[in-house]
Amino acid sequence: MTALYNLSLNWSVCPDTFKRANLCVVPKEGRRDKSNPRSYRLISLQSTLGKGLERGIAKRLAYEAVERTIIPRNYVCATPKRSATDLILSLVDEVEDSLRNKKETISLATFDVKGAFDAVSPNRMVKRLVDQGWPDKVCRWVQSFLNRQEADLTLDGQTGDMSPLGGSLPQGSPISSILFMLFMAPLFLRGPHLRGYADDGIIKVTGKVPGDNVVPLQRELARTQEWCNSNGLELDMGKTGLLHITRKRTTDNPGILLPDGNNLEAKGIKKTLRWLGVLFDRKMSFKAHTKEAAGCPDCLLFVSA
């Protein structure tokens, strides 16, 4: 197996048999319209031997990406010694510091990349690796991995014929997560006001009152949308959320104008904004999150210091 894996990487060839998969249709959580294809997730079941090869390359990519700071600390997922908990803790620490010492208002806007893995084209992915300075044999291996993929589809116990795929990053593949992070890394290198976990991101701005943060948030969302569009991606505006965090006595709770022209209302005083499983409230009390987590053993129990 070691000889086979080394040969595959040295020759920059991913064997065709490793690129054949069975796509299982899995319903997404929650109450969704079952007639809508977006209510389902495609999970790629691949060759066990091929997954071993992918996992080995993925671990090396993740390690080098962290060591060479190709992926910034404010963007986590498939990287060693970084987790969603670390991301949330650093965000909460900054917000608490602003509330306690500077007595500022913090505004958070969440965004989601539509399609995520399915939206990354092979040519753009390989070009990103080349621009980041990865070895030529690695870039060519990824190109080989993304080309000539085939899969059959299993739905309601019925499996269809093997058909060619478009070459996007397959869901369930060990190497897809780190490749997607490498593709998205330039977006989060723009500054610490951006944080992200896979395809979920959040923008943080501060000001004296909530109204001061409207223009900066609109500007950052527009820049994020512009970056995504220039890289063949798109934001899912339906999943965008907004929350103004302040301990000042004010009823000011302005919304913002989204890049698509629609207005986004901010969460009310008694409502929460969910990001990475954590419920943020306007006072940063985490009462709603603690209540939900206490009734759900699988939820992340996170309480502010």
Side-chain angles (χ1 to χ4, degrees), residues 85-242:
T85 304
D86 297 329
L87 203 63
I88 291 292
L89 286 173
S90 66
L91 175 61
V92 170
D93 182 65
E94 289 182 13
V95 172
E96 291 282 3
D97 181 66
S98 295
L99 292 175
R100 180 174 55 252
N101 299 327
K102 303 176 183 178
K103 298 181 179 180
E104 294 177 323
T105 295
I106 300 90
S107 297
L108 303 176
T110 60
F111 61 89
D112 182 90
V113 179
K114 184 183 294 185
F117 288 9
D118 295 334
V120 178
S121 70
N123 290 339
R124 290 180 184 272
M125 183 70 252
V126 174
K127 185 178 184 304
R128 177 76 80 243
L129 296 177
V130 172
D131 292 342
Q132 291 172 344
W134 293 99
D136 181 63
K137 67 178 181 181
V138 172
C139 298
R140 287 188 287 112
W141 186 93
V142 171
Q143 186 173 38
S144 174
F145 167 72
L146 295 176
N147 289 336
R148 298 174 61 183
Q149 293 183 9
E150 294 183 318
D152 54 30
L153 188 67
T154 298
L155 177 63
D156 294 334
Q158 300 294 321
T159 302
D161 297 329
M162 193 70 67
S163 303
L165 299 178
S168 59
L169 301 175
Q171 292 273 3
S173 171
I175 201 172
S176 290
S177 294
I178 185 61
L179 288 179
F180 182 76
M181 289 192 69
L182 290 171
F183 188 80
M184 294 292 295
L187 172 64
F188 294 95
L189 282 168
R190 285 167 38 197
H193 61 285
L194 282 170
R195 282 178 171 83
Y197 184 91
D199 58 342
D200 294 315
I202 192 167
I203 301 170
K204 177 183 73 71
V205 299
T206 60
K208 294 298 182 182
V209 294
D212 293 342
N213 298 335
V214 171
V215 173
L217 277 178
Q218 291 178 165
R219 182 173 58 247
E220 286 304 321
L221 274 173
R223 288 176 177 174
T224 301
Q225 174 74 306
E226 182 181 356
W227 185 92
C228 289
N229 290 342
S230 64
N231 286 272
L233 303 174
E234 184 180 357
L235 294 185
D236 189 345
M237 294 303 172
K239 295 183 179 180
T240 306
L242 173 64

Side-chain angles (χ1 to χ4, degrees), residues 21-28 40-46 51 117-118 151-154 165 169-173:
N22 171 239
L23 298 179
C24 293
V25 181
V26 180
K28 294 182 179 178
Y40 301 86
R41 179 177 287 107
L42 294 177
I43 302 299
S44 178
L45 302 182
Q46 300 170 295
K51 281 192 171 185
F117 288 9
D118 295 334
D152 54 30
L153 188 67
T154 298
L165 299 178
L169 301 175
Q171 292 273 3
S173 171

